[in-house]
Amino acid sequence: MKGILKFAVLAAMLLGLPLAGILVAQVPTSRYFEFPPRTLYIEHAPFSWIAFLSYSLFLIAAVTPFLLHALRNRSHSHLKTPPANRFPWWGWFGVLLGLVFWILARSRFPWFSQWQAHTFTPLWIAYILTVNGLTHRRTGTCVLLRQPLSFLLLFPASAGFWWFFEYLNRFVQNWSYAGAEFGSAEYFLFATLSFSTVLPAIVGTREWLLSFSRWNRTYKHFFPVRISSPRLFASAVLLASGAGLFLLGAYPNHLFALLWISPLLILVSLQGLLKETHIFSPLTVGDWQFVLASALAALLCGLFWEMWNFYSLAKWVYHVPFVQRFHLFEMPILGYAGYLPFGLECSVVAEMVLARNNKISGGRKA
């Protein structure tokens, strides 16, 4: 029942509050429901050096303590690593599949033109197989083998999860799609297939990162973060998130970051109010392993998303206010910071799927 309650509140806030905001602001609603979305109707703020430098300094200040701590722990890097296992055959299949579809995505072979717009999903299936194979080689196991049913359930959960972001993007239009035209049914089908690979890719990458013993040595005993009144704090965060979502459509240039952080804030706040363990709970004893691995897994996947998108026929392009400059592929460089909180909320949702199915099946949690 708690899981249903959390999903119901999350869905109601993400779907209802932005729409309620534009209704109160008396903005025409029809443009927000165009499907597939094609019309650009938001005037994005131009590049601002003040905003760019402010965001950059904030990111540097946030990241520097973690980098310095890692550098201070370099002296332990000589510790013996466990012997590697054989790279599995299905991992090699993932490597081969990825190479084939990367070539097909970058090239424009006439004989492949009918399928040219559909190379993205096979690339990510290849990535998922490969990264799980790398984890299996290091540890002798991986979530794909330990919890096959749970892992498969991540695919439909991922598709539904990402459609929430597509909906929120209608109120800020930070990205739009180009390169191929689809009807409504085709767009929904092909987009859903692509969206379904997000959570499995990040979960697999997160587990691979955690397989490195240096994570345990460096960030298991980092600085603790304790909140004196956690339920009061969770209530305040939930209210602030709701207010921001309500104003999202009216102030898209200033509140666009809520697109990436609001699902995380809502879910963790609800878990805190229900006195559940959540992704930030280990921080009370200074254990940052899972949080950092989740954030960096999304950033690593983000580099592949943007690289493969750059050469694809069907692709997305960005319209990020204030920082739309200095691109790495299609993404402005500061936009990659959005992958960090995105990785955390992906882990929150993925663990809800993995843990729930694991409890039902009686197996152990990954």
Side-chain angles (χ1 to χ4, degrees):
M1 290 300 296
K2 287 184 177 181
I4 296 174
L5 173 63
K6 285 181 289 188
F7 177 78
V9 174
L10 176 69
M13 292 183 69
L14 294 183
L15 298 177
L17 288 175
L19 183 60
I22 62 170
L23 287 173
V24 170
Q26 296 183 338
V27 177
T29 59
S30 58
R31 63 189 187 182
Y32 296 97
F33 296 99
E34 182 185 33
F35 194 84
R38 294 189 177 97
T39 306
L40 288 175
Y41 44 80
I42 291 177
E43 185 176 347
H44 296 95
F47 179 83
S48 165
W49 275 110
I50 294 177
F52 181 85
L53 293 174
S54 298
Y55 290 144
S56 299
L57 290 174
F58 173 78
L59 290 172
I60 291 171
V63 170
T64 297
F66 298 97
L67 295 178
L68 291 177
H69 186 71
L71 291 174
R72 284 195 294 266
N73 284 269
R74 283 186 307 171
S75 58
H76 300 290
S77 61
H78 64 277
L79 295 178
K80 186 177 179 180
T81 57
N85 300 279
R86 184 184 296 274
F87 193 65
W89 67 266
W90 44 267
W92 284 116
F93 175 74
V95 173
L96 178 61
L97 184 68
L99 289 174
V100 169
F101 274 92
W102 196 354
I103 293 172
L104 292 174
R106 290 179 59 117
S107 307
R108 297 293 186 265
F109 298 118
W111 56 269
F112 192 70
S113 59
Q114 183 179 353
W115 303 280
Q116 187 69 57
H118 309 301
T119 58
F120 206 71
T121 301
L123 276 170
W124 279 100
I125 296 297
Y127 177 93
I128 291 165
L129 291 172
T130 302
V131 77
N132 276 274
L134 291 172
T135 303
H136 184 274
R137 184 176 184 273
R138 289 188 56 81
T139 66
T141 185
C142 63
V143 65
L144 174 61
L145 298 183
R146 285 196 314 275
Q147 294 180 267
L149 177 59
S150 298
F151 194 77
L152 288 176
L153 289 175
L154 287 176
F155 285 85
S158 176
F161 179 57
W162 185 260
W163 275 114
F164 278 108
F165 289 96
E166 291 294 317
Y167 173 77
L168 290 177
N169 185 53
R170 304 303 298 140
F171 298 91
V172 296
Q173 292 201 308
N174 282 170
W175 70 85
S176 59
Y177 294 101
E181 292 290 333
F182 299 111
S184 298
E186 287 181 311
Y187 176 79
F188 178 78
L189 172 62
F190 297 136
T192 298
L193 288 174
S194 295
F195 300 162
S196 71
T197 60
V198 174
L199 291 184
I202 290 180
V203 167
T205 307
R206 183 191 70 196
E207 187 179 33
W208 176 68
L209 290 172
L210 287 170
S211 72
F212 290 86
S213 58
R214 188 166 183 173
W215 281 102
N216 182 64
R217 297 192 303 268
T218 303
Y219 294 114
K220 187 173 179 60
H221 303 288
F222 196 22
F223 64 89
V225 177
R226 299 185 180 93
I227 298 173
S228 57
S229 302
R231 297 189 77 185
L232 179 62
F233 183 77
S235 299
V237 171
L238 189 63
L239 289 173
S241 301
L245 286 170
F246 180 79
L247 297 171
L248 185 64
Y251 302 97
N253 284 321
H254 297 88
L255 298 177
F256 69 92
L258 281 174
L259 172 70
W260 299 112
I261 66 174
S262 58
L264 173 66
L265 297 178
I266 293 170
L267 282 172
V268 173
S269 297
L270 292 173
Q271 289 173 324
L273 290 172
L274 295 171
K275 296 184 178 181
E276 296 179 345
T277 300
H278 52 74
I279 193 171
F280 297 119
S281 295
L283 303 190
T284 59
V285 294
D287 185 354
W288 286 77
Q289 296 175 94
F290 195 80
V291 166
L292 293 180
S294 298
L296 291 180
L299 183 60
L300 180 58
C301 287
L303 290 171
F304 281 95
W305 271 312
E306 304 303 336
M307 177 176 62
W308 286 333
N309 171 65
F310 191 69
Y311 296 106
S312 294
L313 175 62
K315 62 191 301 182
W316 61 83
V317 292
Y318 290 101
H319 321 279
V320 185
F322 301 116
V323 296
Q324 186 73 13
R325 195 175 292 184
F326 309 115
H327 292 68
L328 178 59
F329 307 117
E330 293 287 352
M331 173 75 87
I333 191 67
L334 285 185
Y336 284 91
Y339 279 112
L340 301 177
F342 179 64
L344 301 184
E345 56 205 358
C346 283
S347 276
V348 171
V349 174
E351 287 306 300
M352 291 171 66
V353 175
L354 294 173
R356 175 176 173 79
N357 192 64
N358 180 68
K359 183 177 180 180
I360 292 173
S361 63
R364 73 178 181 88
K365 183 179 177 180

